[in-house]
Amino acid sequence: MRTTTPNSPHIRGRWRHVGSAAAATAALLAAGLGTAAHATAATATTTVAHQADTKAVAAQVAKAHVRYEKAGCGTTPKKGFAACDALRVTGGTTAFMERQAALKGVTPKTLKPDAASASPTGYGPSDLQSAYGLTSAAASDGSGETVAIVDAYDDPNAATDLATYRSHYGLSACTTANGCFTKVSQTGSTTSLPAADSGWAGEESLDLDMVSAICPNCHILLVEAKSASDANLGTAVNEAVKLGAKFVSNSYGGSESSSDTSYDTSYYKHAGVAITASAGDEGYGAEYPAGSRYVTAVGGTALKTSSNSRGWTESVWKTSSTEGTGSGCSAYDAKPTWQTDTGCTKRMISDVSAVADPATGVSVYDSYGADGTGWNTYGGTSASSPIIASVYALAGTPGSGDYPAQYPYAAAGSSALNDVTSGSNGSCSTSYFCTARSGYDGPTGWGTPEGTDAFTG
C-alpha cells in the first residue's frame, strides 16, 4: 500500500477468478457483485437447474464477473510511501452496463481487457446523485467552495480529460481559464510540476471526475506531490489548506506505523477543514492516513439498483479475502472523543462509506499513458473518498474550530445516513470490525450519505 518510485508505474496485480460454474455463481450471489452479477448469475443458476452444459454456465458466470486490476499507482509500496486505492475494470459486464441493456431490452455487452470504450461503462453523475439523495443539492449548492484532490506525480491531461467528462455529462465547464480548475505542485507552483506518471494519472482522473459528479458547482484544486512518500503527500495536503481548500480528499494509504501520530499533527490536523481518506482496498485491516483521528475515514460499498423506496441498495464491498474495503482498529492513533464504539480502544476505521466495488463502479475518462484508454470504469475506495469530500462541500463550509469527521456521528442512526447492514470484508475477532450490522460497523461506518444533513455542523 505504499508505492515505489515512478520508474515502475505499470506493475500491477491482476485478479482472475476461476472455478466450477456452481461455485462461481454462488460466490457472485454471496458477494453481491452488482446487477450484472446477480442477473447473469441467476440465469446461470436456472440453467444449472435444467442440467444445461456446465461450460455454458461457466461462460455466463465469467461474462458477469468483472475483472479488474490495480492502477499503476497501487503496487505494494516500500516503507514511508503510499499507494493509491484505485482499481480499473478490464473486462466483464458492470452493473451499469447490465442496467442499460435491461432498459433497452438488449443483451448486455462485455468489456474486453484493455479495450477502449466509446462511451461510459460505469455509474455517472445522475446515478451517484440519485443513490445518495444529492440531486437537488448538486444542482443548487457548492458555489464558492473548493474541493482539493491530493495525489502524487503529474497528470499532463488532467484539464482536458476533466473537460471531456464534464462535457459528456452536460456539466458546466471547469477550466483553468474560468477559474474553476487549478493544478499545482506541492509547493503551489503552477509551472514547476512533478514528473508525469500514468498510474497516478488514472487516479487523478477518478478523483476529479467524482468531485464533478457530486459537486458540479464546486471549484477543484489538484495538488500534485513530487513523489508518493508520506512526507510529500502530507506536504501537498498542507498546501491545499494553505491555498484555501476547506475540503481535501486523499485516495491513498499504506500500512500503519509508529510515525503516524506525528504525521497527524504535521499534515492532517486542520481545524475547519473536512479531510477524507480512503480506507483501503485489500480487505479487513487498518491503513493510514485513514487511521488519523483528524480525517474522515471512508469505507467502500457495492451499490446496485433496487425496487425499494430508495431505488438503490448497498452492502459491504468484498470480492475476496484480499479484495475489499479496508477497516479496523488502529494500532497507534488515539480514539477521537466523538467515536464511542467499545470494542476498539483506539481510532476505529471507518466513519462513513460510499460506492467502491469495481463491479458496481464509476465512469472515468482518462487519456494519459498506458492506462489512459479513454472511458473506463473504476472502483476502490479511491472513488469513495472524493465522493464524501464533495458531499461535505455541498453541505457548506465547516465551523472554523471543528474537525468535520465528527459531523456524521451527530447524525448517527438518522435518516441522513443509509445504514449498510449486510456483508463483511474478512475475518476478525470482534465482529463489527469487519462485518456490517445495524448501526456502526467498521467496513461502512455509520453508512452512506442520504442528502447532506450528516455532513454539516
Side-chain angles (χ1 to χ4, degrees):
M1 306 182 359
R2 285 184 171 151
T3 195
T4 55
T5 67
N7 295 324
S8 56
H10 308 307
I11 299 173
R12 46 176 91 86
R14 292 177 181 267
W15 291 270
R16 296 286 189 268
H17 300 272
V18 182
S20 71
T25 300
L28 286 171
L29 289 170
L33 293 178
T35 306
H38 280 276
T40 313
T43 300
T45 304
T46 301
T47 308
V48 170
H50 288 84
Q51 299 181 346
D53 185 270
T54 302
K55 290 184 178 179
V57 177
Q60 289 295 318
V61 173
K63 178 181 178 182
H65 193 96
V66 165
R67 295 178 297 281
Y68 57 88
E69 63 187 17
K70 290 183 180 181
C73 52
T75 53
T76 303
K78 62 185 180 182
K79 184 178 180 180
F81 284 71
C84 69
D85 288 316
L87 302 167
R88 186 171 68 93
V89 172
T90 60
T93 305
T94 67
F96 174 82
M97 295 168 69
E98 188 77 23
R99 190 186 69 182
Q100 293 301 105
L103 291 172
K104 296 176 182 178
V106 299
T107 301
K109 296 180 180 180
T110 301
L111 289 170
K112 296 180 180 180
D114 299 318
S117 176
S119 60
T121 54
Y123 291 139
S126 63
D127 301 305
L128 298 173
Q129 292 168 20
S130 169
Y132 296 124
L134 299 169
T135 303
S136 177
S140 60
D141 299 333
S143 296
E145 304 290 7
T146 296
V147 179
I149 296 299
V150 171
D151 284 311
Y153 305 111
D154 180 40
D155 175 5
N157 296 357
T160 56
D161 287 351
L162 176 63
T164 298
Y165 180 91
R166 293 179 71 103
S167 176
H168 178 86
Y169 287 109
L171 305 178
S172 60
C174 186
T175 67
T176 303
N178 68 15
C180 176
F181 175 64
T182 305
K183 182 174 75 169
V184 300
S185 70
Q186 68 185 57
T187 64
S189 174
T190 59
T191 55
S192 180
L193 298 170
D197 182 280
S198 175
W200 280 95
E203 170 66 59
E204 291 173 43
S205 290
L206 167 60
D207 294 342
L208 297 175
D209 291 352
M210 288 308 95
V211 177
S212 297
I214 299 300
C215 190
N217 295 324
C218 284
H219 286 193
I220 306 176
L221 170 65
L222 173 59
V223 185
E224 298 176 331
K226 67 180 180 181
S227 80
S229 73
D230 296 334
N232 284 327
L233 288 164
T235 298
V237 172
N238 287 343
E239 184 64 25
V241 176
K242 177 183 176 181
L243 293 175
K246 297 298 182 183
F247 315 93
V248 184
S249 175
N250 304 277
S251 291
Y252 57 83
S255 55
E256 295 189 295
S257 77
S258 57
S259 300
D260 291 348
T261 53
S262 65
Y263 291 153
D264 278 355
T265 53
S266 296
Y267 305 126
Y268 298 101
K269 185 179 180 181
H270 293 283
V273 180
I275 301 177
T276 63
S278 301
D281 294 347
E282 298 182 355
Y284 175 65
E287 76 170 42
Y288 190 86
S292 171
R293 75 183 96 169
Y294 299 112
V295 312
T296 299
V298 187
T301 67
L303 171 72
K304 54 184 185 264
T305 55
S306 171
S307 59
N308 63 18
S309 58
R310 178 187 171 196
W312 301 85
T313 186
E314 288 174 278
S315 58
V316 174
W317 164 45
K318 177 189 175 184
T319 306
S320 74
S321 61
T322 58
E323 304 161 32
T325 182
S327 71
C329 182
S330 173
Y332 300 101
D333 249 74
K335 201 172 195 69
T337 57
W338 53 85
Q339 201 169 52
T340 59
D341 63 293
T342 58
C344 172
T345 59
K346 292 189 179 295
R347 164 63 158 139
M348 186 69 195
I349 303 167
S350 297
D351 298 308
V352 291
S353 51
V355 61
D357 186 349
T360 67
V362 298
S363 175
V364 173
Y365 190 84
D366 170 34
S367 68
Y368 180 71
D371 293 340
T373 57
W375 289 108
N376 289 280
T377 295
Y378 270 82
T381 52
S382 276
S384 49
S385 178
I387 287 174
I388 295 300
S390 302
V391 176
Y392 272 113
L394 289 176
T397 306
S400 60
D402 292 352
Y403 292 100
Q406 67 186 298
Y407 290 169
Y409 288 79
S414 75
S415 59
L417 292 162
N418 300 302
D419 192 8
V420 180
T421 60
S422 64
S424 71
N425 64 346
S427 300
C428 55
S429 57
T430 304
S431 178
Y432 79 88
F433 285 14
C434 64
T435 304
R437 63 177 184 176
S438 179
Y440 180 83
D441 57 72
T444 66
W446 283 107
T448 62
E450 184 57 43
T452 62
D453 287 351
F455 297 86
T456 184

